[in-house]
Amino acid sequence: MNLDAMHKYMDLGIRPCVVCGEKQFEVFAKKEYLTARKCKECGMISVNPYYTDAGLEVLYSKYLTNRLLDKDLEEKRSVMYNIDRDWILNFVKQGYILDIGSSAGYFLSRFNSNNFTRHGVEFSSECKSKAKELFDIPVRVGNFVEMDFNVEYDLIMLRGVIEHFNDPVSVIRKVSKIITKGGYLYITATPNGQSFAFDVYREKWSLFSVDHVHFFSVKHLDGIMKKYGFSLVSHHYQYEETPYANPESDFKKIKKDINLIESGNSNSIDSSVPFIGSMLTAVWKFNGVDRKIDLKAINSTGK
């Protein structure tokens, strides 16, 4: 997606921190008109301001079509789907499963239909027919937060998704209303805002892209999750087991790039490399929530 074409959809105002609600920031990274700001209170990093809802519709209208153009990246994602599935199967092995931001069901399809009843939710309408055609997986199209559900889910997943929402707190709040007590919320393939690579590369970090709004750490996510009845079970930072990693060349390049940055020659760096700690994986268990606490949580974040 061309940045220039999206400029007209930028929101005008700077929003409070999505984690703590504070309004004091420092500029962390800047790419053309996109500015990542770091909260002075809690350290959360977000692109702020970001696109309006109308802009998001444009951004994701052809998301699947554009994504499938990169065949090499799709092959690597296919490997990652199995890695991400195998990790969460350590915690939940059957039941109703909902994938928020399910695309055309590629990740959901890796879960055995004999063990899981699989449902997807997508913002983009082009994913629905493709998911039905390829995997016979039902995908609902629309705003997840505004949807009604007639089942409770044992596993809800956000794979490479939570960073895309303007208001991720409302998503987590909605999840807390449709998940079973004792169910699991799984977040994976998400950029780690407190990673070493982001701190080094800033706007040159490959994950600082036009479609990423928020750069959470596990600590920041857990601070939100606790307000809605979730407790952290486990977390992990994938690297060497992934098809993206090449430790020898990755380590050499980041050392070279650090020297370039320190000598004032960062303009000669084209992009970052995959690196340890850049992507986070975590799972939370839902213990139930007192609705009075829920209201306090909403008020404390300004949502």
Side-chain angles (χ1 to χ4, degrees):
M1 175 63 70
N2 189 308
L3 270 178
D4 290 336
M6 292 297 298
H7 193 183
K8 61 185 177 183
Y9 295 105
M10 285 294 292
D11 205 345
L12 298 177
I14 295 177
R15 302 183 180 188
C17 174
V18 71
V19 173
C20 70
E22 293 299 317
K23 300 178 181 179
Q24 298 297 316
F25 303 95
E26 60 185 41
V27 173
F28 186 81
K30 190 174 179 65
K31 182 187 294 183
E32 297 184 41
Y33 60 83
L34 295 177
T35 302
R37 289 182 163 86
K38 183 176 183 177
C39 177
K40 291 184 176 181
E41 179 65 26
C42 72
M44 176 66 192
I45 301 170
S46 300
V47 176
N48 192 1
Y50 193 63
Y51 301 117
T52 62
D53 289 342
L56 291 179
E57 288 186 26
V58 174
L59 186 64
Y60 293 111
S61 60
K62 294 295 181 182
Y63 188 77
L64 178 61
T65 299
N66 294 333
R67 198 181 93 161
L68 294 177
L69 294 176
D70 191 331
K71 299 301 181 183
D72 178 64
L73 192 55
E74 279 304 295
E75 289 178 5
K76 290 177 179 176
R77 281 198 184 102
S78 183
V79 175
M80 288 305 307
Y81 292 147
N82 289 338
I83 292 173
D84 291 338
R85 176 205 58 200
D86 291 346
W87 194 84
I88 193 60
L89 288 180
N90 290 312
F91 304 96
V92 56
K93 300 184 184 302
Q94 62 182 6
Y96 279 85
I97 179 173
L98 176 68
D99 191 11
I100 302 169
S102 60
S103 184
Y106 299 111
F107 184 40
L108 268 176
S109 71
R110 305 305 171 94
F111 291 81
N112 192 321
S113 60
N114 293 322
N115 299 328
F116 291 96
T117 300
R118 305 170 298 181
H119 296 161
V121 170
E122 246 305 331
F123 193 71
S124 172
S125 59
E126 65 177 338
C127 296
K128 180 176 181 178
S129 58
K130 202 70 175 176
K132 182 68 176 177
E133 171 193 339
L134 293 176
F135 310 115
D136 195 29
I137 291 175
V139 170
R140 296 175 64 184
V141 177
N143 186 335
F144 164 70
V145 174
E146 297 175 355
M147 289 180 176
D148 293 323
F149 293 85
N150 56 12
V151 299
E152 289 188 337
Y153 291 95
D154 303 288
L155 172 61
I156 296 180
M157 307 186 299
L158 292 133
R159 185 188 184 281
V161 171
I162 193 70
E163 67 272 17
H164 294 264
F165 285 104
N166 261 337
D167 184 6
V169 176
S170 68
V171 175
I172 294 169
R173 183 164 64 244
K174 178 71 173 186
V175 167
S176 73
K177 298 180 184 300
I178 63 170
I179 193 170
T180 58
K181 189 171 183 179
Y184 292 89
L185 172 55
Y186 181 36
I187 292 178
T188 188
T190 293
N192 175 18
Q194 291 191 337
S195 67
F196 177 73
F198 194 16
D199 189 46
V200 168
Y201 285 104
R202 305 296 176 105
E203 62 274 0
K204 297 283 182 128
W205 197 36
S206 61
L207 297 171
F208 181 39
S209 60
V210 64
D211 56 339
H212 290 168
V213 193
H214 302 293
F215 298 93
F216 289 102
S217 66
V218 171
K219 178 181 177 180
H220 289 127
L221 282 169
D222 193 45
I224 298 172
M225 297 295 184
K226 287 177 179 177
K227 298 175 182 178
Y228 294 98
F230 293 92
S231 58
L232 183 64
V233 176
S234 184
H235 69 280
H236 173 53
Y237 300 98
Q238 300 169 336
Y239 174 67
E240 288 195 30
E241 70 268 41
T242 76
Y244 304 101
N246 187 331
E248 183 176 356
S249 64
D250 291 343
F251 279 58
K252 284 182 180 178
K253 187 176 188 306
I254 200 167
K255 286 194 293 183
K256 176 184 175 182
D257 290 345
I258 288 172
N259 288 331
L260 287 171
I261 292 167
E262 290 182 341
S263 62
N265 294 307
S266 60
N267 288 337
S268 61
I269 300 172
D270 53 355
S271 65
S272 65
V273 290
F275 201 69
I276 297 168
S278 290
M279 302 293 283
L280 69 86
T281 291
V283 61
W284 287 262
K285 188 172 185 178
F286 183 62
N287 303 308
V289 63
D290 185 326
R291 295 306 167 192
K292 292 181 181 178
I293 296 175
D294 188 13
L295 289 173
K296 288 180 181 179
I298 294 169
N299 293 333
S300 70
T301 57
K303 303 296 179 185

